[in-house]
Amino acid sequence: MFLGLDSSTQSLTAVLIDAASGQIIHQQSVNFGADLPQYGSPSGFIPGGINGQVCANPLMWLDALDLLFARLSESANLGAVRMIAGSGQQHGSVYLDATFNDRLASLDFSLDLASQLAPALTRADSPIWMDTSTGTECEEITASLGGSNEVIRRSGSIAIERFTGPQIRRFYKTDPAAYQRTHHIHLVSSFIASIIAGKSVSIDYGDGAGMNLLNLDKLEWDSKLLDATAPELNDKLSAPAAANCVQGFVSRYFSEKYGLPSNCRTALFTGDNPASLVGMGATTPGDVVISLGTSDTFFAAMAGPLTDPNGFAHVFGNPAGGFMSLICFRNGSLAREALRDKLGLDWSAFDRQALANSSVAAGQNLMLPFFGPEITPRHDFSGPVLKGSYEFESASEPSLQVRALLEGQFLNMRLHAQWMKVHPEHIRLTGGASKNNGIAQMVADIFQAPVERIDVSNSAALGAALIAAAADGYDLPALQKIFCKPAKDSSLQPNLTLAPVYADALIRYKDLLASIC
Ligand code: ADP
Ligand code: XUL
C-alpha cells in the first residue's frame, strides 16, 4: 500500500492506495477550520492580514498531521504502507533555526509534534500563496536581474507576489535578525516531508519552481536570483531534487506512535498542482487538464522548459519528468455565474443555450469575458467587452450571450497557451463546471480535441500516492490507466467542421483584446 498526503490551503488529506489491486483503500481528511478551531483560521489562514499579507500558522499543519495519523491509525491498516509521498499548497514557506534537525531526530512520541518543534521556528507564521504583500520585493528582484524577461527565462515565471523568493526577501528586509537565525527555509511540501522523514529533506523540482529561485535549465538554485533575493540564501535551502527521490525510512515518531512499519520509506513531497497533474493522469506531453472551478486553470505536461514570453503562465517541474505549465484565469465560474444570474437562467438552461445553433452562431460574436479584474491577461476589466451583431450587443438573445461568453473564455485560454507550442491531444476536464455538457462540448470544439471528464475528488493526494508507488518501482503510466480513469460515458468529440471557424475567431479575439489592453 502507498500513502499520499496533501497539505492544501484548507485541509490535510490522505489517500491510501493498494497498487497491486488498483484500489483506493481509504481517504481521510482533517479540515483546519473545523477540526482545529483554536488556530482561528476558518479557511486555513489567519484572517485580517494587513497590506495584502496572508499567513497560516505552521503549528496548525503539525497538529493536523498528528490528528490525521491518529484517525488513520484507527481506520486503516497503516502497517501495510511501503512508501509515503505528498504534496502541499505551493509557494508557502516555513522558517527554522539550526536546532530543527536535532529536534526531528529526537522527537518523543508521548508528546505532540507542534510543542516539540515550535521552538525551532524563527518566524511564527508562514506566508502562503494568497499573500500579495511583496510588490516592492518583486520590483527589486526584477530590477536586479535587468528586467522581467530574464526572471522568466531563468525561473519560468515573472517575479510574482505569492512566490517564495519575494516572500523570503520581505522577511529578510523586515526582520533581518530572525532571517539570520534561520538555517532552513522550507516550502509547505518539504516541511511536511521533513517531519515525516525525521530529517530536513530537499525541495522537489515541481514545487521548487514556484519560488522564483530555481534555474529551469540547470535544475539548480540560480545564483543571480539567490543574490537578488537575500544574502546567504543558498545555505538555507537544501539542494533541489526529483520528487521520486527516496529519502530513507519514516521517522520513528510515526512508526512508534501510529503503527507505520519501521521500514516504510518516504519520497520527496511536491506542489499540489504537480501532484494533481499525476493524479489526473496527465503527465505525458499532449495531455492537458482544464479545471473549471471558482477560477479556471489550464495545466499541461511539457517536454522542455519552455517559458511564456508574456509572463502570464508558470512553469513547474513535472513529477514524472520534464516540466508542466500552469495558467490561472480569475474570471472562471465567477463570470459564468454572473452571466447566468443576469439572464435569469439555471445551469441546465445555461447548458442548453450554450449548445443552441452551433452551426450558424459559432465564432460569430466576440466577448472579452471578464466581469472583474483578470490575471491572464493582466488587466482591470470592469465588465465584458462585446463585439458582434446588433442582437448580440443589445443582449436581446440569451443564447448568443452564453455562447460568446464561453467561446471567449476558451479562446482566451487557447490564446494564452499558444506559447507552449503543443496541440492538446486529450483534454481532461475537472472542477464544478465540467459536468455541464454545453461547457464541455465548447472546450472540445475550441481546442479541437477530445474531452474526458475526470471525477477525482482528491487529485493531489491521489497523485502523491501514485508518486510513492512509482518511487517503489511501479510503472506510473500503468498505474494512471487504472487510477485516473475518465468517468463512464463522459467523453466528447470535437465538431471538426468548426476547426476553421475557431481558427479565424482566435485571430479576431486576439485583435479585440489587443485593442483594449
Ligand atoms: P473550487 O474547487 O474552486 O471551490 P469547484 O471545482 O467545486 O470549485 O467548482 C465550483 C463552481 O462550479 C461553482 O462556482 C459553480 O459556479 C460551478 N458549477 C457547479 N455546477 C455547475 C454546472 N452544472 N454548470 C456550470 N457550472 C457549475
Ligand atoms: C499555484 C497556486 C495555488 C496553490 C494552492 O501557483 O498559487 O494553486 O498551489 O493550491
Side-chain angles (χ1 to χ4, degrees), residues 242-308:
N244 58 4
C245 276
V246 177
Q247 296 304 299
F249 297 115
V250 71
S251 155
R252 282 182 54 210
Y253 179 90
F254 289 92
S255 54
E256 290 176 9
K257 190 165 186 169
Y258 298 116
L260 283 164
S262 54
N263 64 355
C264 169
R265 293 179 301 155
T266 67
L268 285 184
F269 282 29
T270 187
D272 56 358
N273 295 301
S276 282
L277 189 77
V278 179
M280 293 290 295
T283 40
T284 308
D287 291 339
V288 163
V289 177
I290 295 177
S291 170
L292 303 173
T294 308
S295 49
D296 292 344
T297 52
F298 175 104
F299 51 97
M302 298 190 293
L306 275 181
T307 52
D308 176 4

Side-chain angles (χ1 to χ4, degrees), residues 356-377:
N357 305 320
S358 284
S359 52
V360 288
Q364 298 309 302
N365 298 298
L366 290 178
M367 185 189 293
L368 302 185
F370 311 110
F371 282 72
E374 180 50 58
I375 50 176
T376 310

Side-chain angles (χ1 to χ4, degrees), residues 291-295 333-334 336-337 347 431-433 435-436 439:
S291 170
L292 303 173
T294 308
S295 49
S333 283
L334 295 178
R336 292 185 285 273
E337 279 171 23
W347 282 132
K435 54 179 169 283
N436 188 306
I439 295 176

